[in-house]
Amino acid sequence: MTSTLAHAAGPKDLDNAWVRQQFPSLETQVNGQIAAFLDGPAGTQVPQQVVDAIQKYLLHDNANTCGAFATSRRTDAMIAGARQAMADFFHCDADEVSFGQNMTTITFALSRAIARELKAGDEVVVTTLDHDANVAPWRALEEKGVVVRQVDIRESDCTLDLDDLKRKIMNKTKLVAVGYASNAVGTINPVAEITRLAHAAGALVFIDAVHYAPHGPIDVKTLDCDFLACSPYKFFGPHMGTLYGKREHLMRFSPYKVRPAPDALPDRWETGTQVQELIAGIAAAVNYLAELGKRHDTAARDRRSALLAAYRVTHAHEMALLAELMEGLMAIPGLRIFGITDLKRFNERCSTVSVRLEGHTPTEVATFLGQRGIFTWDGNFYALNLTERLGVQARGGLLRIGLVHYNTADEVERLLAALREFSRA
Ligand SMILES: Cc1ncc(COP(=O)(O)O)c(C=O)c1O
């Protein structure tokens, strides 16, 4: 009886072997060694389903939108389906989702549109922890006399200084721009609480969920945020960006657009012809995650519950890998970890870790690892405020190790062995 029930609920642990079979590129070899893709924060690999969807679109449905013929109608249907997939992903309505080139371009377009309603002396709050794509578009408003205030971090654990945030949100604050999770040090920000604080002061909230999206489920309804952006290429999809906006704001703010383009939602926010084949790939990425969720929870009935099931199991897997990684890193002499290291506080972080090894630049370490087929990233990852604040910007930044659900304990062990070898040399 018990085993039948367990079977009906699906496997408890992530079926990592099945996961890896879905991603053909994970078989890539470098110098005779299988590649360890620990570069997920800069862009994840894609499952076969995504490649197939892009190919199918180009081979069978390729057309511009809103035409009176078969391929154009199929294109319209495909885009509507992809929008619904992202609506399930964000937990919103389909007309609150728009697609764009990438998160950076979307955010610049949105900040310009919002700026039409701002005047000199209005204030916007950004943070030291954020990627510059959630800083520069808001700093650009300084040209109009908008005052930009920047919330500091607590250097000891690279978390946001919430007292400073409370001081900086004032009655002149019109918008708070905050990241869901740091792409450099993995900190997860209390975005629901920040949204509450901002709304209490009458300000809007824009959340950059690019780094959080591969690690945890997004629920814009529960967060109650006004805007949230993320990039499918960071959660197993193609290189594009997507935006959620509350309907009332998407209608009220006026984007820069060409006159013949529709003024209805969400089209008014989608400038020009979209990369439709990649939109097909976005739907496939969401469906891949849902399929993963259904394998692990056969009781998951709709796509949203399947997505939540997927994140339950990928999160547990990532946290187990993170614990191994952290323990191993802490034992390497001369290695400094930036951010939360305490296992008891792992709920405040995701599985992205940045370090520096004494006496070496991050580029030297990344090059050594790269020659052994271990892909990490070095530099500032565009989290420029943070690398400057931590005093590492002029010294080559950080070495970033990113774990997602297709990574394995063997890969973590390989990385640690290589780091130990390099630190001894
Ligand atoms: C946290 C975060 N925000 C924003 C961006 C920018 O995203 P995009 O490349 O889609 O413009 C990135 C890209 O690395 C990121 O990691």
Side-chain angles (χ1 to χ4, degrees):
M1 187 66 179
T2 317
S3 68
T4 317
L5 279 178
H7 180 70
K12 197 161 77 45
D13 296 329
L14 178 76
D15 186 351
N16 187 258
W18 178 84
V19 165
R20 290 184 69 87
Q21 277 163 18
Q22 310 311 302
F23 289 82
S25 59
L26 296 183
E27 287 177 11
T28 303
Q29 300 224 344
V30 177
N31 298 332
Q33 303 215 50
I34 189 128
F37 287 88
L38 307 181
D39 63 334
T44 48
Q45 299 306 300
V46 297
Q48 184 68 44
Q49 290 93 315
V50 169
V51 180
D52 291 346
I54 295 170
Q55 179 174 345
K56 176 188 165 292
Y57 175 77
L58 288 172
L59 289 178
H60 304 292
D61 307 331
N62 190 12
N64 216 324
T65 54
C66 301
F69 54 94
T71 49
S72 181
R73 290 202 173 116
R74 286 207 289 276
T75 294
D76 292 338
M78 179 280 288
I79 293 174
R83 221 181 280 293
Q84 186 54 56
M86 278 312 298
D88 291 346
F89 188 84
F90 286 142
H91 203 202
C92 64
D93 292 334
D95 66 349
E96 295 176 309
V97 175
S98 55
F99 297 110
Q101 190 178 344
N102 48 52
M103 178 275 182
T104 307
T105 308
I106 285 173
T107 310
F108 269 111
L110 183 68
S111 77
R112 272 198 301 272
I114 291 178
R116 290 176 138 175
E117 290 200 5
L118 298 184
K119 55 182 189 323
D122 285 342
E123 298 193 1
V124 167
V125 172
V126 299
T127 89
T128 299
L129 203 51
D130 270 75
H131 186 287
D132 215 50
N134 200 21
V135 178
W138 309 112
R139 286 233 171 255
L141 308 187
E142 287 173 325
E143 287 170 6
K144 282 197 67 164
V146 169
V147 177
V148 177
R149 301 198 180 272
Q150 189 168 312
V151 176
D152 201 6
I153 54 157
R154 283 187 290 250
E155 196 178 335
S156 57
D157 61 3
C158 294
T159 55
L160 271 188
D161 181 343
L162 291 185
D163 293 328
D164 193 36
L165 179 103
K166 284 174 195 157
R167 277 192 298 273
K168 290 199 165 130
I169 297 181
M170 291 181 268
N171 57 2
K172 286 187 193 159
T173 310
K174 299 295 172 205
L175 183 133
V176 176
V178 65
Y180 207 143
S182 159
N183 69 316
V185 289
T187 312
I188 295 175
N189 294 320
V191 283
E193 185 187 344
I194 294 170
T195 302
R196 203 175 36 73
L197 288 168
H199 284 174
L204 298 174
V205 174
F206 176 91
I207 297 178
D208 169 4
V210 172
H211 192 67
Y212 185 76
H215 301 295
I218 293 167
D219 187 337
V220 292
K221 266 195 199 140
T222 304
L223 292 176
D224 192 33
C225 56
D226 300 287
F227 300 99
L228 181 144
C230 65
S231 308
Y233 76 94
K234 310 278 191 179
F235 60 90
F236 321 110
H239 290 93
M240 277 194 79
T242 61
L243 174 74
Y244 155 78
K246 272 187 187 162
R247 188 177 295 107
E248 63 190 275
H249 302 319
L250 295 178
M251 281 314 293
R252 187 183 111 215
F253 291 112
S254 176
Y256 288 83
K257 63 182 275 295
V258 293
R259 289 170 301 159
D263 213 26
L265 284 188
D267 311 54
R268 67 202 304 252
W269 291 92
E270 292 180 345
T271 314
T273 305
Q274 298 295 303
V275 195
Q276 281 140 201
E277 54 272 34
L278 300 190
I279 294 180
I282 294 175
V286 174
N287 287 332
Y288 156 73
L289 283 171
E291 187 182 345
L292 175 65
K294 279 195 186 123
R295 282 182 69 82
H296 290 84
D297 182 357
T298 47
R301 260 178 273 285
D302 54 25
R303 185 162 47 197
R304 176 76 191 164
S305 352
L307 290 170
L308 297 180
Y311 279 112
R312 274 198 296 280
V313 74
T314 58
H315 180 256
H317 178 79
E318 288 177 4
M319 287 298 112
L321 294 187
L322 178 65
E324 285 180 42
L325 174 67
M326 206 56 96
E327 194 186 338
L329 290 175
M330 288 200 283
I332 297 175
L335 186 142
R336 179 178 168 198
I337 303 166
F338 294 79
I340 296 167
T341 53
D342 182 355
L343 198 105
K344 293 194 281 302
R345 293 183 60 203
F346 275 10
N347 60 330
E348 292 174 63
R349 65 163 303 137
C350 59
S351 48
T352 300
V353 184
S354 274
V355 301
R356 277 187 69 98
L357 200 52
E358 204 180 322
H360 299 282
T361 65
T363 307
E364 285 166 357
V365 189
T367 306
F368 177 86
L369 295 172
Q371 283 156 354
R372 281 150 188 77
I374 302 169
F375 301 169
T376 57
W377 214 272
D378 61 283
N380 62 28
F381 334 114
Y382 285 19
L384 183 62
N385 284 341
L386 182 66
T387 50
E388 284 178 346
R389 172 70 172 80
L390 294 173
V392 295
Q393 176 58 23
R395 299 185 290 127
L398 300 162
L399 177 83
R400 180 178 68 186
I401 304 150
L403 301 171
V404 292
H405 74 291
Y406 54 59
N407 293 122
T408 65
D410 277 357
E411 290 176 332
V412 170
E413 193 32 59
R414 254 177 80 195
L415 167 82
L416 290 169
L419 284 174
R420 284 192 289 266
E421 184 191 335
F422 186 76
S423 71
R424 279 195 302 267

